[in-house]
Amino acid sequence: MNISRRTALKTTAMMGVAATAAPRVFARAGATLKVSLPDLPYAPDALEPAIDRKTMEIHHGRHHAGYANNFQSALDRLPGARSVEEVLAEIPALPGDLQTTVRNNGGGHWNHDLFWKIMAPPGRGGGGVPAGDLAARINADFGSFAAFTEEFSNAGATRFGSGWAWLVARPDGRLVVGSTPNQDNPLMKGLVPDDLIGTPILGLDVWEHAYYLHYQNRRGDYISNWWKLVNWEEVSRRFEAI
Ligand code: MN3
């Protein structure tokens, strides 16, 4: 046997080990992680007029419910998974036939759970400007709150098709803005560009299902009205918990 053939066989054998070892990443002893549709923290019409009741009912009760149910079917095959965040950070190591389900539905579940919580009725927790350490960090990293909102709005407006805009706390503590397609998010190592990986503390859904009933194609109007809903106290809480 020549060297190149031996090397090729050895490489194939190693790839075989890697391919069979990967699915065991979450095959640990332990309970099955359970997810479910969280209740909205306000009435479905409480975000009007920025987001209408019908959109909220369909978005939460149909879209998010579907993501949660489909994600659970994948979690049932991943015993010992410790948290949703852990699973989303390890998608490339999951069994191949679960990766797309987890990416789309696990991402969909986590993203919407964040989305409901970082909004509040306008004037009753929603809107205004951040305070404290978060405000200082935004000023340090973007220059001003206005510069930050402009960059974030632009990330949402220019995301082609379906996706999300994000404010992300990077591992070094800096804040960055970016966007992802579909239900991807900055927790997904290996799937999202490295320079956006971190902990999302604010997310904006720019899928058409988030705004089309009321705004039709006017995504920009949806985004400018959405700022009146942002629950900065909750965003700050998440920033300080990192
Ligand atoms: Mn959505």
Side-chain angles (χ1 to χ4, degrees):
M1 189 187 297
N2 65 37
I3 288 172
S4 64
R5 168 126 175 95
R6 252 198 337 259
T7 305
L9 282 171
K10 191 177 170 191
T11 304
T12 305
M14 287 169 67
M15 287 170 67
V17 169
T20 53
R24 291 200 295 270
V25 165
F26 288 103
R28 305 180 185 124
T32 299
L33 192 61
K34 296 291 183 188
V35 295
S36 59
L37 182 66
D39 290 336
L40 288 175
Y42 33 73
D45 62 357
L47 304 184
E48 291 186 347
I51 302 181
D52 64 284
R53 177 184 58 81
K54 192 75 180 166
T55 295
M56 287 299 293
E57 287 174 348
I58 296 171
H59 198 180
H60 173 258
R62 306 283 178 82
H63 290 276
H64 189 174
Y67 299 131
N69 287 339
N70 292 333
F71 185 33
Q72 186 64 58
S73 72
L75 290 174
D76 290 343
R77 291 181 47 204
L78 298 169
R82 297 182 183 103
S83 69
V84 172
E85 290 79 6
E86 179 193 48
V87 175
L88 296 183
E90 299 284 349
I91 290 173
L94 298 181
D97 64 328
L98 291 184
Q99 291 182 15
T100 301
T101 299
V102 170
R103 183 176 190 167
N104 291 340
N105 295 280
H109 174 65
W110 194 94
N111 297 348
H112 289 84
D113 186 65
L114 173 75
F115 190 53
W116 313 134
K117 289 171 181 160
I118 55 82
M119 295 191 290
R124 289 182 288 137
V129 297
D133 291 348
L134 175 60
R137 192 72 237 176
I138 286 173
N139 287 336
D141 290 338
F142 300 96
S144 66
F145 180 66
F148 154 69
T149 57
E150 186 179 347
E151 186 175 337
F152 187 100
S153 294
N154 192 49
T158 58
R159 165 50 56 188
F160 184 76
S162 300
W164 291 74
W166 302 105
L167 175 61
V168 181
R170 295 274 291 154
D172 66 3
R174 283 181 313 113
L175 295 174
V176 295
V177 159
S179 77
T180 54
N182 304 313
Q183 298 295 355
D184 287 0
N185 72 37
L187 298 170
M188 296 179 177
K189 292 174 188 163
L191 302 179
V192 163
D194 286 344
D195 59 7
L196 195 60
I197 291 293
T199 305
I201 59 173
L202 179 67
L204 169 60
D205 190 342
V206 294
W207 283 57
E208 286 186 345
H209 69 223
Y211 63 87
Y212 209 86
L213 287 181
H214 183 68
Y215 294 94
Q216 291 83 49
N217 61 320
R218 291 174 285 116
R219 186 190 285 187
D221 291 351
Y222 159 66
I223 294 174
S224 31
N225 284 332
W226 174 79
W227 289 108
K228 300 168 191 167
L229 305 176
V230 174
N231 180 349
W232 288 109
E233 196 176 318
E234 173 65 12
V235 179
S236 279
R237 192 189 66 70
R238 288 167 181 263
F239 174 66
E240 284 164 18
I242 294 167

